[in-house]
Amino acid sequence: MKVAVLALQGAFIEHEQVLQRLGVETFEVRQLRDWQQHKDALVLPGGESTVQMRLLKELGLLEPIRQAIADGLPVLGTCAGMILLSQGYLGTMDIRVRRNAYGRQLGSFHTTGTVEGIGTDVPMTFIRAPYIEEVLSADCQPIAQVDGHIVAARQGNQIATAFHPELDNDTRLHQLLISLQ
């Protein structure tokens, strides 16, 4: 098993560390030649979605990544990664996202909640987090809510979370990703 981790900006190292603890080989995608390696799954980390999107376009990564996801490559998008999967960005997931929905850095918080298919005690760390304003098709299923807002969804081999599972010790979302391959 080999997982590509988008490493243009943001919290990618933490994802690599979780996957390596699970015995999964990872590699960083910083340019097109990195992307051309064999991969069984992809992680789109948190960070700044506008910066990540601009770099994906400039580096010629946008279309190859979009196509791989559309062709069924398993992907976990966290925080900014969820935004990247949404409509208006990569557009591979049928969700409309509200960016920075919980406010600035001071609006960051931690809670525990239920993630369908994972469990009832999933730690959730939100940092300037988005949430899903609208699910646009029956193909996409909300799998977690906090305070009435959708904070995680799944569509086929795509998993999107508004929170950062890589910042907690719980590895179940990463385990779900690697089970999809």
Side-chain angles (χ1 to χ4, degrees):
M1 177 96 200
K2 193 171 182 182
V3 176
V5 179
L6 187 66
L8 301 178
Q9 186 271 337
F12 57 89
I13 291 170
E14 292 85 351
H15 282 287
E16 292 172 17
Q17 291 169 340
V18 171
L19 290 164
Q20 289 164 2
R21 280 198 324 258
L22 293 171
V24 175
E25 182 181 348
T26 64
F27 69 94
E28 295 177 355
V29 176
R30 295 179 183 272
Q31 51 195 317
L32 189 56
R33 75 170 178 244
D34 301 327
W35 177 251
Q36 293 166 341
Q37 295 181 56
H38 168 78
K39 66 204 116 334
D40 299 300
L42 170 65
V43 172
L44 299 174
E48 296 292 335
S49 57
T50 304
V51 171
Q52 290 180 9
M53 192 66 176
R54 180 178 52 82
L55 290 170
L56 285 171
K57 289 176 183 174
E58 287 176 8
L59 297 168
L61 287 163
L62 182 69
E63 287 307 319
I65 288 176
R66 177 184 288 149
Q67 189 61 55
I69 295 169
D71 289 344
L73 181 70
V75 61
L76 171 62
T78 62
C79 199
M82 179 173 85
I83 295 169
L84 290 178
L85 292 171
S86 73
Q87 298 302 303
Y89 289 82
L90 287 169
T92 58
M93 202 164 184
D94 298 331
I95 55 174
R96 187 170 299 117
V97 173
R98 181 177 202 165
R99 297 177 66 212
N100 296 325
Y102 291 102
R104 299 182 170 265
Q105 199 75 16
L106 293 176
S108 301
F109 65 99
H110 179 83
T111 190
T112 302
T114 299
V115 177
E116 191 175 308
I118 300 286
T120 59
D121 57 346
V122 178
M124 300 176 178
T125 299
F126 294 84
I127 301 171
R128 290 183 19 218
Y131 61 68
I132 298 172
E133 283 188 309
E134 185 178 5
V135 173
L136 303 169
S137 80
D139 293 334
C140 184
Q141 297 298 311
I143 58 172
Q145 292 190 21
V146 170
D147 297 331
H149 299 293
I150 302 168
V151 296
R154 181 169 174 194
Q155 182 174 339
N157 282 348
Q158 299 178 77
I159 306 162
T161 70
F163 54 93
H164 291 268
E166 76 281 7
L167 297 180
D168 293 300
N169 289 325
D170 191 299
T171 61
R172 290 177 286 178
L173 277 158
H174 290 85
Q175 289 171 337
L176 177 58
L177 172 67
I178 60 179
S179 77
L180 298 176
Q181 62 96 19

